[in-house]
Amino acid sequence: MSDQQREAAFSRRAVLGWGGAGLALGAAAAGGVAVAAGGGGDNGPSGGGSVPFHGPHQAGIATAVQDRLHFAAFDVKTDDRAELIRVLKDWTRAAERMTAGHAVGDGAYGGVPEAPPDDTGEALGLPPSRLTLTVGFGPSLFDHRFGLAKRRPSALVDLPKFPGDNLDPVRSNGDLCVQACADDPQVAVHAIRNLARIGFGKVAVRWSQLGFGKTSSTTPDAQTPRNLFGFKDGTRNVSGTDTAGLDRHVWAAQQPGAAWMAGGSYLVARRIRMNIETWDRTSLQEQEDVFGRDKQEGAAVTRAKEHDEPFLKAMKPDSHVRLAHPDSNHGATILRRGYSFTDGTDGLGRLEAGLFFLAYQRDPRTGFIPVQSGLARSDALNEYIQHVGSALFAVPPGVRDTDDWWGRALFT
Amino acid sequence: MSARPRPLLLGTAAIAVAVTLSGCTQKASGEDGAVSVTASDSACKVSTTEFPAGHVSLALENKGSRVTEVYVLFPDDRIAAERENLGPGTKATLVTELGPGDYEIACKPGMKGDGIRQKVKLTGRNAAAERSPEADAAVAAYRSYVLAQAEQTLPKAKAFAAAVEAGDVEKAKKLYAPSRIGWERTEPVAESFGDIDPKVDVREDGLEDGQDPETDWTGWHRLEKALWQDKKIGDREKELAGRLMTDLDAWVKKVGTAEITPTSMANGAKSLLDEVALNKVTGEEERYSHTDLVDFKANLEGARKSYDLLKPIARKNDSSLARELDKQFASLTKQLDVYRTDDGADQDSYTYRSYDKVSEAERKDLSDGVNALAEPLSKLAAAVAK
């Protein structure tokens, strides 16, 4: 643990301890606790493992990819617009606290003994672990229920059916999503669990996915991580520090009818099951041909180094890198921050594993859709993978300050 | 309940935890070491001035020449317990439930005036707050509800047992679910008697290692399996029907002695929803008969009863919570009643769609509805404890 992390961990405990003591003093101290809670957003531990929550864009997109993921999609169960707004406001306040390393509400202990505590407590004593929480709105949110139909951005399309898709409806779609990324899985799970709890009765978890072993990097000088097939992928991913690239490929522009999305992004989430066992029985040559890279270095065919520009025509026409490359897709570029997953084994003893693909882009019609159309038709990798879950979300711009909340521009 | 040997029912230490969680405890009255109060025309002698809170048993004796009465009073002179019309030379026992704190015991020779008083201190860690009259009223009303449910269950259970004893499979199947409704409505109280629940409501996977389902499994679910899976009634089943009645008789006798507090009522309501979330929504509880939705309804009604009785207190302390609970109770009731298959005329013998005919998507919806109610309901105890 770095000194900064240690300091952050200490601050978390200090704030909690203070809140607990305040409660023990009785009703007179309640105001003091409220002040501590309000101040926790901006004045809590900063740096040292915490990613700033406020800003023009939501954290968790250009942020250097953390090690772990808990992603959850929610259905909105209420038809009451005010209740939905209440959830988004409550979520925002809780997210401010959790990303700064503080407990939710009045904390995990020290409250009324007869009642469950506000915070579930499993992140006590852990540093913020660079937790980011990123919210998105699915196409289904823009139906008749909340009067949002006219505000649905044209880029928030219904994804087409791609050849080979075998989508499970209970692992697809959703009115809302929250992406929790952190360097500690317990911190990410804690965040989703507490947001789900705050939302009960108004929103319900539709599906969720845990991820580990980031499969792409937004910091190109770091080593590109490998996926569960053992290959480096996403070498050419958009860098989190490449402002021009982000403006061009990731941040949404102001669109007619959807001004609220300016500075936001569009998130495609796909659960891609990998046929691990058959892949592992595949010859090295075939594996390298499928990707179009060598397994050791990650260099494209005929190239020496991973970051050497690939010579597409030297690759097999159905190789993954060739088909996914911007040059094969009229320049289409997306920011990937997917994770590997394994949910144990299926009933047949096969690893229930794969890639949980997460991609951010300015517009899926010029980003994911053309790229995936080509891949779904021709990619040699299709023999070893299957897309089993799918969702698309409009990710609104960032929360500016402690008066702002997720989605304010959409709802007001 | 008793899907599997849940830690709550394992061992005595665990039972102590269960007792704390549900707040419903059982204690026999008239324990040894009762405190004696000897009244005379000019004295009110208490054998000890400091004794444990909880179930308190006072052995009263009037050695005076006039009729007297004995009171246990709060510091503000509110009556905590009383015994009137104690004639000269007579004895009586006053059993009551008191939290820790300072009290006065007063004897009133001639049943007049302020009486002759003696300060006493009740000790204990269970710092239950003093009850307001409305809390007492809620507890009293809930106690009589629990008793009434138990008493109304007996004839229904008897009819079910009689059908089993007569070897009538079809009739027994019809009478099975209704025979459980009163039990399911008041399960947290019934469960506080650690010995009865495992006898009447355990499921096969709730048996411990070394227990033989043939000989050690008793109660409703054993008969459920015979009726729906084995589809026959043998001598063993007839014997078990009789034993079920013996155990339910014991339940009815005990239920009036359960300790009930406003927080135990609130947490009991929450634990009824937990029952639904863990065992009914999954179809685990009634895996042979698929009558899970009848149990679901009964659990919901029992929780609703607790809440309705506590509502005046909850509304005063946390009005937005009360509004939310009103809404969620109504909403889940409405959601559940979509599956009802009778005309709704009989409150004690309703029927619902067989749970194996409830789709995964419908179960998910029911589960979401249960979460929507159970989450705010978990805050009720704090609201009534304020």
Side-chain angles (χ1 to χ4, degrees), chain A residues 75 77-78 80 83 112 114-116 118 197-198 200-202 204-207, chain B residues 263 267 324 327-328 364-365 368-369 371-373 375-376 378-379 381-382 385:
Chain A
D75 290 325
K77 307 295 284 190
T78 176
D80 184 341
E83 281 195 340
V112 191
E114 288 86 356
D118 285 353
R197 201 176 159 212
I198 289 168
F200 276 139
K202 286 94 182 168
V205 175
R206 179 181 172 88
W207 55 271
Chain B
T263 46
N267 281 324
E324 180 68 15
K327 187 179 135 192
Q328 296 298 346
K364 167 76 164 73
D365 257 352
D368 288 343
N371 280 334
L373 172 59
E375 188 64 28
S378 73
K379 299 183 170 81

Side-chain angles (χ1 to χ4, degrees), chain A residues 301-312:
Chain A
V301 172
T302 73
R303 296 297 191 240
K305 294 286 176 199
E306 186 201 340
H307 290 282
D308 290 349
E309 190 58 30
F311 179 49
L312 297 182

Side-chain angles (χ1 to χ4, degrees), chain A residues 285 289-290 292 301 312-320 322-323:
Chain A
Q285 186 63 58
D289 285 347
V290 163
V301 172
L312 297 182
K313 283 187 179 147
M315 297 173 157
K316 298 212 164 182
D318 60 356
S319 76
H320 182 70
R322 178 168 177 171
L323 287 168

Side-chain angles (χ1 to χ4, degrees), chain A residues 6-335:
Chain A
R6 212 166 282 133
E7 188 185 310
F10 174 75
S11 299
R12 179 197 285 275
R13 275 191 297 272
V15 166
L16 281 170
W18 200 86
L23 282 172
L25 292 174
V33 174
V35 170
D42 281 342
N43 304 324
S46 57
S50 77
V51 177
F53 179 76
H54 299 113
H57 311 293
Q58 288 196 66
I61 303 173
T63 308
V65 182
Q66 299 92 324
D67 292 334
R68 302 290 185 138
L69 170 81
H70 191 183
F71 187 93
F74 294 83
D75 290 325
V76 180
K77 307 295 284 190
T78 176
D79 286 346
D80 184 341
R81 184 181 158 110
E83 281 195 340
L84 172 58
I85 289 171
R86 184 79 255 157
V87 170
L88 291 167
K89 285 180 176 172
D90 290 348
W91 272 8
T92 307
R93 300 286 86 88
E96 281 168 350
R97 292 190 57 76
M98 290 192 286
T99 53
H102 301 309
V104 173
D106 286 340
Y109 54 83
V112 191
E114 288 86 356
D118 285 353
D119 187 278
T120 54
E122 73 275 26
L124 290 180
L126 296 175
S129 308
R130 297 199 299 127
L131 172 70
T132 54
L133 292 165
T134 315
V135 155
F137 304 134
S140 51
L141 192 72
F142 296 84
D143 59 11
H144 62 280
R145 287 174 294 169
F146 310 107
L148 297 174
K150 287 203 176 112
R151 310 201 73 179
R152 177 172 171 171
S154 51
L156 188 66
V157 292
D158 295 312
L159 289 178
K161 153 96 171 78
F162 299 103
D165 278 4
N166 182 19
L167 304 180
D168 179 352
V170 302
R171 284 190 186 277
S172 297
N173 305 323
D175 292 330
L176 303 171
C177 75
V178 182
Q179 170 197 280
C181 297
D183 290 330
D184 183 325
Q186 182 123 335
V187 170
V189 169
H190 168 264
I192 293 296
R193 176 175 165 192
N194 281 273
L195 295 182
R197 201 176 159 212
I198 289 168
F200 276 139
K202 286 94 182 168
V203 300
V205 175
R206 179 181 172 88
W207 55 271
S208 85
Q209 182 66 55
L210 294 174
F212 65 94
K214 58 194 176 195
T215 58
S216 49
S217 170
T218 53
T219 38
D221 41 342
Q223 178 178 267
T224 304
R226 292 174 188 266
N227 58 31
L228 289 182
F229 283 160
F231 276 78
K232 295 181 179 182
D233 194 22
T235 300
R236 277 278 306 264
N237 204 24
V238 183
S239 159
T241 51
D242 174 7
T243 0
L246 290 169
D247 283 341
R248 193 149 154 232
H249 300 296
V250 178
W251 305 129
Q254 199 149 346
Q255 282 179 346
W260 63 273
M261 266 300 283
S265 190
Y266 293 89
L267 168 63
V268 172
R270 305 278 285 186
R271 188 174 193 266
I272 305 173
R273 174 85 191 260
M274 287 174 161
N275 304 324
I276 300 287
E277 290 77 10
T278 49
W279 175 262
D280 292 345
R281 290 193 279 269
T282 303
S283 73
L284 178 61
Q285 186 63 58
E286 158 96 355
Q287 290 186 1
E288 294 189 334
D289 285 347
V290 163
F291 274 96
R293 292 180 188 277
D294 84 288
K295 199 163 189 176
Q296 183 196 356
E297 171 62 30
V301 172
T302 73
R303 296 297 191 240
K305 294 286 176 199
E306 186 201 340
H307 290 282
D308 290 349
E309 190 58 30
F311 179 49
L312 297 182
K313 283 187 179 147
M315 297 173 157
K316 298 212 164 182
D318 60 356
S319 76
H320 182 70
V321 166
R322 178 168 177 171
L323 287 168
H325 197 276
D327 292 352
S328 306
N329 295 286
H330 308 288
T333 303
I334 53 185
L335 184 153

